[in-house]
Amino acid sequence: MFSPSQEEHCAPNKEPVKYGELVVLGYNGSLPNGDRGRRKSRFALYKRPKANGVKPSTVHVISTPQASKAISCKGQHSISYTLSRNQTVVVEYTHDKDTDMFQVGRSTESPIDFVVTDTISGTQNNDETQITQSTISRFACRIVCDRSPPYTARIFAAGFDSSKNIFLGEKAAKWKNPDGHMDGLTTNGVLVMHPKGGFTEESKPGVWREISVCGDVYTLRETRSAQQRGKLVENETNVLQDGSLIDLCGATLLWRTADGLFHAPTQKHIEALRQEINAARPQCPVGLNTLAFPSINRKDVVEEKQPWAYLSCGHVHGYHNWGHRSDTEANERECPMCRTVGPYVPLWLGCEAGFYVDAGPPTHAFTPCGHVCSEKSAKYWSQIPLPHGTHAFHAACPFCATQLSGEHNCVKLIFQGPID
């Protein structure tokens, strides 16, 4: 759960304070090749043995590149804003004993706590395409948590590199605020959406905003990398709430607070729901064979007893090879129960507990991927416009990142037998 360095500093039998967890959308509990080190599908933020936060202190206005290099090489954290070839503003940062800082990005260098790569829709993972086409910044963002209750977590665009510097070049959007302090945006931006009503059964999607390097909130630019910043949103903050979504242009992360996770369903709960469904012995209405959801650790292999469903009507069957309507639409099938035509796919249980807004039974499937979760969770994610590329938004399955389609983006499943 936490790294050895943190474990060593914990008092015996005393759990370290947990600030929250970041969960990457598109992975159903683990990365396709397994979670390894700092590269995994979820990352827990714990109170550090020693505070490592920083806060702004001295500001230097410099006219030569050599002088700005000299300042940024002093071993102190700093942010450099290049205004022109002969003017750079360098803001030095000093140690902050009251906060812990965690950095997220594509780089595998040591300042990055959580290494994130581009999410390929449907988790068709190919390292080559990820590396050559990545739009995620190497040092994408930083999350700063207060070390004392209520352990508030704030997000800022950009992270400090190995030389403890954030460098905003001539082309980056940057400006001087009325109060005199410098601020800017990263190339592809860091977007945040806070849900209305927290992360609960009543939640509704909020509005996507862009977070600046200093943590101010702006309306979105016309496209991700446009030079012109959006408008300052003065009544909103960069404080993360339970269920806040963070988009890094290539991967979207869900923030769950420690308290939110305490009240959320667990992996054990989802496993119990799976066993409950299987114990009810749902049947294929045509073949009359018993169906069963495969165990969580076999979530990628289609098994013989796997339930399949017609996603236009929701009727659940076992696998069969009839009902094709045409050779061109291989996946368009006619349901033998109600004659509705639509996609026919295997059903997979949504195993990542962090994506559930309630502990309800798995009754609904996302279309067209067939991931199954509770009704309220399915309806919540079906409404959320997730950033896609540089200016598009669409709803996607949180478990595999497949773009949703169909009348409502999800369908109620109709099981034959005592389970219905």
Side-chain angles (χ1 to χ4, degrees), residues 275-296:
Q275 291 182 10
E276 204 176 305
I277 283 188
N278 291 350
R281 297 174 63 82
Q283 285 192 325
C284 172
V286 178
L288 302 180
N289 47 317
T290 302
L291 308 174
F293 278 99
S295 68
I296 283 171

Side-chain angles (χ1 to χ4, degrees), residues 287-344:
L288 302 180
N289 47 317
T290 302
L291 308 174
F293 278 99
S295 68
I296 283 171
N297 58 4
R298 297 197 39 92
K299 59 177 192 271
D300 298 320
V301 186
V302 178
E303 299 198 340
E304 197 184 339
K305 287 184 163 186
Q306 185 119 10
W308 286 61
Y310 288 89
L311 294 181
S312 292
C313 57
H315 281 111
V316 179
H317 290 255
Y319 179 71
H320 50 247
N321 206 10
W322 64 79
H324 290 282
R325 288 304 296 264
S326 69
D327 296 334
T328 49
E329 289 291 333
N331 206 22
E332 289 288 298
R333 303 273 198 98
E334 183 180 273
C335 171
M337 300 295 287
C338 66
R339 312 300 296 268
T340 307
V341 175
Y344 174 66

Side-chain angles (χ1 to χ4, degrees), residues 101-414:
M101 179 170 70
F102 301 87
Q103 299 208 142
V104 181
R106 185 170 47 88
S107 171
T108 54
E109 289 177 36
S110 58
I112 294 295
D113 297 283
F114 187 29
V115 179
V116 177
T117 48
D118 295 63
T119 304
I120 310 292
S121 171
T123 62
Q124 297 150 342
N125 207 313
N126 180 328
D127 288 340
E128 289 308 307
T129 54
Q130 288 186 7
I131 291 160
T132 53
Q133 299 166 0
S134 184
T135 43
I136 300 172
S137 170
R138 292 174 64 243
F139 299 90
C141 70
R142 56 201 197 279
I143 292 171
V144 176
C145 301
D146 290 346
R147 286 174 64 85
S148 51
Y151 307 115
T152 304
R154 294 177 175 83
I155 184 165
F156 300 81
F160 294 99
D161 63 18
S162 295
S163 57
K164 299 184 177 176
N165 191 247
I166 290 171
F167 181 80
L168 292 177
E170 267 187 83
K171 289 183 178 171
K174 61 192 121 29
W175 59 90
K176 186 183 270 191
N177 280 312
D179 64 359
H181 83 260
M182 294 295 299
D183 202 351
L185 304 172
T186 53
T187 306
N188 287 326
V190 172
L191 308 189
V192 170
M193 188 205 81
H194 305 302
K196 293 174 187 161
F199 198 66
T200 65
E201 299 178 21
E202 273 71 56
S203 295
K204 291 279 179 285
V207 180
W208 283 100
R209 303 292 194 204
E210 179 159 12
I211 302 295
S212 73
V213 171
C214 295
D216 282 340
V217 181
Y218 287 86
T219 58
L220 301 190
R221 292 179 262 182
E222 278 194 19
T223 61
R224 285 301 278 253
S225 55
Q227 289 285 296
Q228 191 61 41
R229 71 178 189 267
K231 290 192 177 77
L232 179 68
V233 185
E234 295 192 40
N235 61 342
E236 292 181 23
T237 72
N238 62 338
V239 172
L240 293 173
Q241 306 163 15
D242 191 34
S244 290
L245 287 168
I246 302 162
D247 188 81
L248 304 177
C249 196
T252 308
L253 283 59
L254 172 71
W255 170 255
R256 298 299 314 264
T257 60
D259 186 57
L261 288 167
F262 182 75
H263 294 100
T266 60
Q267 206 83 41
K268 274 186 184 162
H269 177 78
I270 292 169
E271 173 59 18
L273 290 173
R274 183 187 79 85
Q275 291 182 10
E276 204 176 305
I277 283 188
N278 291 350
R281 297 174 63 82
Q283 285 192 325
C284 172
V286 178
L288 302 180
N289 47 317
T290 302
L291 308 174
F293 278 99
S295 68
I296 283 171
N297 58 4
R298 297 197 39 92
K299 59 177 192 271
D300 298 320
V301 186
V302 178
E303 299 198 340
E304 197 184 339
K305 287 184 163 186
Q306 185 119 10
W308 286 61
Y310 288 89
L311 294 181
S312 292
C313 57
H315 281 111
V316 179
H317 290 255
Y319 179 71
H320 50 247
N321 206 10
W322 64 79
H324 290 282
R325 288 304 296 264
S326 69
D327 296 334
T328 49
E329 289 291 333
N331 206 22
E332 289 288 298
R333 303 273 198 98
E334 183 180 273
C335 171
M337 300 295 287
C338 66
R339 312 300 296 268
T340 307
V341 175
Y344 174 66
V345 300
L347 298 177
W348 303 98
L349 203 56
C351 305
E352 176 49 75
F355 297 146
Y356 283 73
V357 298
D358 69 341
T363 55
H364 284 61
F366 289 108
T367 58
C369 60
H371 277 103
V372 179
C373 63
S374 69
E375 177 179 8
K376 286 185 171 158
S377 300
K379 289 187 172 170
Y380 176 69
W381 289 104
S382 295
Q383 298 171 51
I384 291 190
L386 293 169
H388 180 71
T390 55
H391 51 268
F393 288 81
H394 60 59
C397 169
F399 302 106
C400 69
T402 298
Q403 183 174 345
L404 299 182
S405 61
E407 199 180 339
H408 302 292
N409 291 338
C410 64
V411 63
K412 183 181 190 321
L413 296 171
I414 303 163

